Structure formats: structure tokens, C-alpha cells
Amino acid sequence: MAQMGAMGAEALWNAILDRLKTELPALSFNTWFQETRAVTVMEQKLIVTVPHEYVRTNLLERWVPTIEAAMGEQGCAGMQVQFILESEKSLFAEQMQATSYEETGLMSQFLFDNFIVGDSNRLAHAAAKAVAEAPAQAYNPLFLYGGTGLGKTHLMHAIGNYIRRNNPALRILYVSSERFTNELVLAIQNARGRGDDANAAFRRKYRSVDVLLIDDIQFIAGRESTQSEIFHTFNDLHSHNKQIILSSDRPPKEIPRLEERLRSRFETGLIADIQPPDIDTRIAILQDKAARDNVRVAPEAVAFLAESCENNVRELEGTLTRVAAFARLTGRTIDLDLAREAMKGILPQRTRQEMTPDGILEAVAQAQDVTVEQIKSPTRSARVVMARQISMYLLRELTTLSLPRIGDLLGGRDHSTVLYGMDKVEKLMATNTNLRQQVYDLRRRITGE
């Protein structure tokens, strides 16, 4: 018989448990089999972990013939069962390493090594690396959130790939919330009319792992059965000190129709956000992709593409792919003119008419609950000073005004005051999530993006 990986072993063991559950009293099943977990199959042996030595002794003395007969019914005649303690799993690390990416759900190309770190994602990256290096010891759960295409999925796969490479005895499973829901629905449908516990095999699959990664958790909102299953899966894994990593497009408190009991559990670990990358990070992302794809790009073309795509890393990388293809088809080098030609009609036409200095000041004043007159005045109250400094930051970022011109616009302040205000906002945004979100929201409102 061909060797199986961890997930193949798990499917075989689950089938055996389903049979035993119908033949044994609930007390006996729960006492001897409830805490067992399949590890792998190697050398015609199904390796199964048990929680205690006395459980192993009882299983060896009383249940081996029944288990091996059940394996024969599953097409595995001649296979034996071997029970090991949880502490002995490391002995099978090499075999566990052979588990395919398809079985774990991981994508091998997403690594920490090719994730570009900038101010917008530094916290999320550091938290992800800490979890990968010490699963269930650093932050549990780890909740990553941010907009589409900013790198949440990349970091989740990077965590799984790092653990798989450095701690191969651990069982890892990555799944989207949509797939989790679909598998649950299918399990319920398959069990109807048979009197089975609809979710027995499903639960064993998701509660037998050491690291569970669920992407786009916001999509479970409003789905009662899915939320209930995730709630109990979360509790089971967390109580057994297993690592949980979740991602969403927003923090738990902003996910509509999410049950309060789930919201509170999601918030017990670390919540880390990923914001749109700044211009320096976008340039670094493009330079890294160009190097990986062995594409030569003029610095001016890189800067043009970085300035043209601000809010989505996936789209940013896509612009370089398009430009490189255009260059190959036309036999030209990638300079600024070619980049502009290749992206003509693709990049959104920006209308800076609405981004007048007065419009920016009005938007800031409204958001900060002050008046434009106060922003321009000598007033030194904390709220007004913060609104004034945010105005300096946005005026510099969204217009071509010089520092002295911005100072004139804000009541005759000199350029050093404007520079100080801009630097103050940038430094605060690096550590203050709420302020960073306020500024990003203001920017999107002003630009219409």
C-alpha cells in the first residue's frame, strides 16, 4: 500500500472511529478513543497518539484486533496500528515533513523571505513571525485584518510554511471560511437520514490539528451553524493549547452580525492591522518582484507605478506584470515612457480638482470636530493642534504645495513648524492605530478612492 501523509492517516482513523462509535457505549468510546489523534502512516503502520500511558496499555491489550479489522474494511488489510504518546511525535518528524502542501492547504510561494515589510505592516509581520517561531506561546489567537490585497493571506501562509519547515511534527491546516462553511454543510447533508452525529468526522478534522488558519473570517457573519461550529472548534483548540490564526477585512468589533461570544474570543489574543503601503514600501515591493522575475525596470518607471497604485499590493504587482509583458511583446526596455504607454487606459484617472487646499482643510475640520478658522488660528488646545498637524501632513501628501506655502495657508506659520507637524503625525501614525486609521479614512474621503 502506498504511504499516506498526515491527512490521509487522519481520514483513515476517522473512519475507524466512526465504526467504533456505533459499537461501543459512549462512556467507553470517550474514555479510550476521544483524545486519540492520527499522525501519519509509514511502513504499513498507522501511527496514532494517545494522551496517557494507561490509555495506550488498554488499547494494546483490548482493541488492536478490532481496529485492524476495521482498517481491513477500509481497504488497508495487513496494516497495523501503533500507539505513541504526544511527546513521541517528534520521532516521526521526517515523515510528517513529507505531507504535501495540498494536504495542509498551504501555498509554498508565500514566505516571510518575500514579504516586504514597511510601516504599514510592521506590527502584523512581527506578530506573525513570533507566532511562527513559538506556536501557541506568543499570541493566541492572532487576528490579522486589513483591506483586500494588502498581504494578510501571504502572512498566514508564511506562518504555516515556517512552522512546517521548522516544526514538521505539528499538524497544520489552512482553510478559507467559505470552504469551512461548505464542508460543514456537506457533512450535515451526508448524515441526514442515517442517525449519525452529523459533524463527527468534520469536527475531528478541524479539532485534531496543532495550527488552524482560517482566512476571511468575516464571511461567517450571519451564518448561525458556522459560527456555532467555529465557536466550539475555537474553544477545543484553545483549551488544548493549539495555535489559531484568523484574518478579516476589518477588526472583530466591526464585523456585522458576528456573535458576541465569538467576538470576545477573537479579541483575547493580538489584533494586528495591515494598512495600505506608503510610497517607499510600494517601491520596495516592485523592486523585489522585478528581481524575482528577473526584469530590469528603470527607477523612473518603478516610481510611476508605485505612485499610480496605492491601496492594493496585489494590483501593484499586477501592474509590473503587465508592463513587463508589454515590454517583451514590443521588444523594448521598461522605461517611464513604456510604463505610461502600457498602463494607458488601465490606471484610474485621478481628479485632483476636489483636492483643493480648502477642501482638505474642510474635511479635516469636520473629522476632528473643529473649525477651519481654529486650525488657522494661534489656538493651542490639543484638539486644534492635532487637527492642524494632520492638515499639514495631508496638504503636503495630497498637493504640490511647498512647506512655506502650507505655512502661509495655516495662518502664517514658518516652514519649520510645518515640517515638525508633519513629522509628528508620521511618528504617531507608526504607533497609534486609531490615529493611523483616522488619517487613512480622511485621505480616502478626500481623494474619493
Side-chain angles (χ1 to χ4, degrees):
M1 176 182 172
Q3 286 191 342
M4 303 181 195
M7 298 300 287
E10 180 184 328
L12 173 58
W13 187 239
N14 284 345
I16 294 170
L17 293 180
D18 285 342
R19 172 186 161 174
L20 293 174
K21 194 169 187 179
T22 64
E23 298 178 357
L24 300 178
L27 180 60
S28 295
F29 181 87
N30 291 337
T31 300
W32 305 117
F33 292 96
Q34 188 68 39
E35 296 299 317
T36 61
R37 300 287 186 268
V39 177
T40 191
V41 171
M42 59 186 303
E43 299 177 356
Q44 286 292 82
K45 290 182 180 180
L46 173 63
I47 313 299
V48 177
T49 62
V50 295
H52 306 289
E53 182 61 47
Y54 74 87
V55 174
R56 172 161 59 181
T57 300
N58 182 277
L59 292 176
L60 289 172
E61 291 178 352
R62 298 180 55 190
W63 299 106
V64 168
T66 302
I67 292 169
E68 292 183 351
M71 286 195 288
E73 294 176 359
Q74 296 297 320
C76 300
M79 183 177 289
Q80 298 176 325
V81 63
Q82 179 178 345
F83 297 108
I84 65 172
L85 298 177
E86 192 76 19
S87 60
E88 297 172 328
K89 278 200 308 181
S90 60
L91 299 174
F92 303 89
E94 183 177 348
Q95 174 66 17
M96 293 295 292
Q97 180 66 40
T99 303
S100 72
Y101 277 101
E102 182 180 355
E103 292 167 334
T104 63
L106 296 172
M107 291 186 283
S108 60
Q109 69 268 34
F110 293 132
L111 306 169
F112 287 118
D113 291 343
N114 56 23
F115 185 87
I116 303 301
V117 181
D119 291 340
S120 61
N121 58 27
R122 197 176 305 280
L123 172 62
H125 174 267
K129 194 69 180 296
V131 165
E133 292 172 345
Q137 298 179 39
Y139 309 108
N140 197 19
L142 173 62
F143 192 103
L144 303 173
Y145 78 91
T148 300
L150 296 182
K152 303 185 301 298
T153 298
H154 187 140
L155 279 181
M156 294 186 79
H157 285 279
I159 293 171
N161 286 322
Y162 186 97
I163 295 172
R164 183 177 182 273
R165 183 174 64 251
N166 294 280
N167 201 341
L170 294 186
R171 290 158 294 186
I172 306 165
L173 182 58
Y174 165 91
V175 66
S176 67
S177 65
E178 192 67 24
R179 179 173 177 179
F180 184 96
T181 300
N182 291 340
E183 289 185 11
L184 175 61
V185 171
L186 184 61
I188 295 172
Q189 291 174 343
N190 288 341
R192 282 177 181 165
R194 301 204 313 258
D196 296 348
D197 180 349
N199 302 331
F202 176 88
R203 288 170 179 167
R204 278 193 293 272
K205 172 181 178 178
Y206 283 98
R207 300 183 194 183
S208 65
V209 299
D210 298 296
V211 182
L212 178 62
L213 307 101
I214 304 181
D215 212 349
D216 289 324
I217 198 71
Q218 74 273 10
F219 290 129
I220 70 168
R223 297 174 172 177
E224 293 184 8
S225 60
T226 303
Q227 292 196 59
S228 177
E229 196 61 45
I230 285 183
F231 172 77
H232 293 295
T233 297
F234 184 103
N235 285 346
D236 186 87
L237 292 175
H238 201 270
S239 66
H240 288 88
N241 202 34
K242 308 301 184 182
Q243 179 67 53
I244 303 163
I245 303 108
L246 307 165
S247 82
S248 172
D249 64 353
R250 66 200 75 184
K253 65 180 179 181
E254 295 181 12
I255 299 177
R257 297 187 297 164
L258 180 67
E259 293 179 3
E260 186 57 38
R261 60 180 182 170
L262 275 178
R263 192 189 317 277
S264 64
R265 279 160 177 77
F266 292 171
E267 292 176 343
T268 56
L270 176 66
I271 300 174
D273 68 319
I274 303 178
Q275 295 294 336
D278 58 26
I279 183 66
D280 291 334
T281 304
R282 297 199 299 274
I283 288 174
I285 290 170
L286 289 172
Q287 290 173 335
D288 177 75
K289 179 171 175 57
R292 285 187 282 115
D293 294 348
N294 197 26
V295 174
R296 297 185 63 181
V297 188
E300 298 81 5
V302 171
F304 167 74
L305 295 176
E307 290 173 356
S308 301
C309 188
E310 299 179 351
N311 298 317
N312 189 310
V313 173
R314 196 175 299 128
E315 290 181 1
L316 178 65
E317 292 185 335
T319 63
L320 183 58
T321 300
R322 177 183 173 84
V323 169
F326 189 86
R328 285 194 299 270
L329 292 172
T330 59
R332 296 161 59 189
T333 58
I334 304 178
D335 56 17
L336 180 58
D337 289 339
L338 181 135
R340 285 174 172 166
E341 185 177 347
M343 300 307 298
K344 186 177 182 180
I346 302 297
L347 296 175
Q349 298 300 311
R350 302 186 174 219
T351 56
R352 294 272 176 171
Q353 294 89 333
E354 298 179 4
M355 289 187 283
T356 62
D358 289 342
I360 292 172
L361 291 179
E362 288 285 353
V364 173
Q366 183 178 4
Q368 298 295 308
D369 195 23
V370 299
T371 66
V372 173
E373 288 72 23
Q374 287 177 311
I375 291 176
K376 294 181 177 182
S377 73
T379 303
R380 299 293 301 167
S381 70
R383 177 183 294 179
V384 173
V385 169
M386 178 53 64
R388 187 179 298 130
Q389 290 174 338
I390 291 174
S391 298
M392 294 171 180
Y393 177 86
L394 290 175
L395 284 167
R396 181 61 169 173
E397 184 181 9
L398 298 178
T399 72
T400 58
L401 294 177
S402 64
L403 296 182
R405 182 69 187 90
I406 293 173
D408 291 341
L409 188 65
L410 294 175
R413 290 171 167 81
D414 62 39
H415 77 281
S416 61
T417 301
V418 176
L419 186 60
Y420 172 81
M422 291 165 46
D423 290 342
K424 180 74 175 294
V425 172
E426 285 185 349
K427 290 177 181 177
L428 287 174
M429 286 172 63
T431 57
N432 188 322
T433 302
N434 289 333
L435 176 63
R436 183 163 67 245
Q437 191 62 52
Q438 287 179 36
V439 174
Y440 282 132
D441 288 345
L442 254 173
R443 191 185 189 289
R444 283 193 289 268
R445 189 185 313 165
I446 294 168
T447 60
E449 298 173 346

